[in-house]
Amino acid sequence: MANDTVGRTFLVAFLVCFVCSLLVSGTTAGLRAKKERDALVRHYGDVLAVTGLMTSTDDVYEFWKAHVDPRLVELATGSYSDAFDPEAFNQERAARDPSLNRTIPADLDIAGLRTRSRFAPVYLIRQEGEVRQVVLPVYGKGLWSTMYGYLALQPDLRTVAGFGFYEHGETPGLGGEVDNPQWLAQWPGKVVFDDKGEVRIEVLRGQVDEDSAKARYQVDGISGATMTTKGVTNLLRYWLGPDGFGPYLERLRQEGFNG
């Protein structure tokens, strides 16, 4: 066959396109796997950030595999469920799915959610065979956005180990200060329930009076961000209350972390 025939031209073009498509497909598949792993590691990092247990030399992925025990909780009963993989369960998507969500009664919806998933993941942080913390996903309305974060509690299920948001759209320099490390540093050691089991944690409009008996339940407000900080109080009170993780935390108090 002559080199300049129409058939040979089409054959060469076909082979070039075929090889290129293989390269593109292979690259896409390879990047997809990397993208999925990166997203997983970001999720692990968001959860572990509130625990304060990792050091700068720890590998997020390895720390997670060694110390984190993800569980799925049926919120109404507080019982663990194996209905879904807790690591793959998308709580936000489930909150929009009529087959998986629950409409929140208006008088209970202080976080402004309208609906929530009937299930939620929780993360037991274990070290040396003992549960050191339990991390709960919490979210609710701020001034401009839904704020998504995690709350880590000590094994007494009352004392905050750490708290923070991984996603929100609040005003930079005002409500966006919920990301400020100085503000977040106030949270460890605060107490979320009183001795009667009532949710007491709150963000004030001003500063905490350290001489007050209520000081252990209170966090300084953020100047110029009244609605955002009110949203933080409301979302915590909702998720720690009877329509959120209240039944789960009560079950843990009675049965322990392995119950």
Side-chain angles (χ1 to χ4, degrees):
M1 181 182 293
N3 288 337
D4 57 352
T5 63
V6 174
R8 191 173 185 84
T9 300
F10 276 107
L11 177 61
V12 171
F14 170 78
L15 290 174
V16 169
C17 291
F18 180 72
V19 170
C20 289
S21 66
L22 288 178
L23 291 173
V24 170
S25 298
T27 302
T28 301
L31 290 177
R32 183 185 298 119
K34 182 179 184 304
K35 185 178 179 181
E36 290 175 352
R37 181 183 169 95
D38 288 348
L40 203 58
V41 170
R42 279 198 301 275
H43 166 59
Y44 292 169
D46 290 337
V47 174
L48 292 171
V50 300
T51 68
L53 297 175
M54 287 186 60
T55 68
S56 58
T57 59
D58 285 325
D59 179 90
V60 172
Y61 186 84
E62 297 300 328
F63 191 96
W64 180 278
K65 294 302 179 186
H67 299 290
V68 182
D69 179 9
R71 302 287 187 91
L72 188 69
V73 172
E74 184 176 15
L75 292 171
T77 63
S79 300
Y80 291 127
S81 171
D82 58 2
F84 303 95
D85 178 354
E87 289 207 53
F89 186 74
N90 189 316
Q91 189 178 0
E92 298 169 34
R93 188 179 304 155
R96 299 189 296 270
D97 184 339
S99 68
L100 293 174
N101 70 12
R102 173 184 186 277
T103 299
I104 302 171
D107 60 329
L108 297 178
D109 192 17
I110 57 176
L113 302 176
R114 297 187 179 180
T115 63
R116 64 151 172 79
S117 167
R118 291 189 286 111
F119 301 91
V122 298
Y123 307 95
L124 305 181
I125 313 299
R126 298 182 185 274
Q127 286 185 317
E128 299 175 352
E130 300 291 333
V131 175
R132 304 297 185 187
Q133 297 179 17
V134 56
V135 180
L136 311 174
V138 293
Y139 64 98
K141 297 294 184 183
L143 174 59
W144 302 111
S145 68
T146 299
M147 301 181 288
Y148 296 90
Y150 292 105
L151 173 71
L153 295 177
Q154 302 283 6
D156 67 0
L157 302 173
R158 297 179 62 201
T159 306
V160 175
F163 174 61
F165 294 101
Y166 62 91
E167 180 182 335
H168 67 80
E170 298 303 286
T171 309
L174 295 173
E177 289 297 291
V178 291
D179 288 335
N180 188 319
Q182 291 185 331
W183 187 73
L184 294 174
Q186 299 179 77
W187 288 87
K190 293 295 179 181
V191 179
V192 295
F193 295 103
D194 64 16
D195 295 337
K196 297 179 181 178
E198 297 294 325
V199 184
R200 295 289 299 277
I201 191 72
E202 64 175 330
V203 182
L204 301 181
R205 294 188 64 176
Q207 291 188 323
V208 177
D209 176 0
E210 297 296 342
D211 294 327
S212 168
K214 299 179 182 177
R216 62 179 182 156
Y217 307 118
Q218 297 173 332
V219 172
D220 291 347
I222 297 173
S223 180
T226 301
M227 293 304 294
T228 300
T229 51
K230 184 178 179 181
V232 174
T233 296
N234 288 342
L235 72 89
L236 286 175
R237 290 189 170 188
Y238 173 76
W239 284 106
L240 292 170
D243 204 54
F245 289 106
Y248 171 64
L249 296 174
E250 180 58 29
R251 187 180 67 78
L252 289 186
R253 290 187 192 98
Q254 296 179 7
E255 302 177 5
F257 285 101
N258 296 315

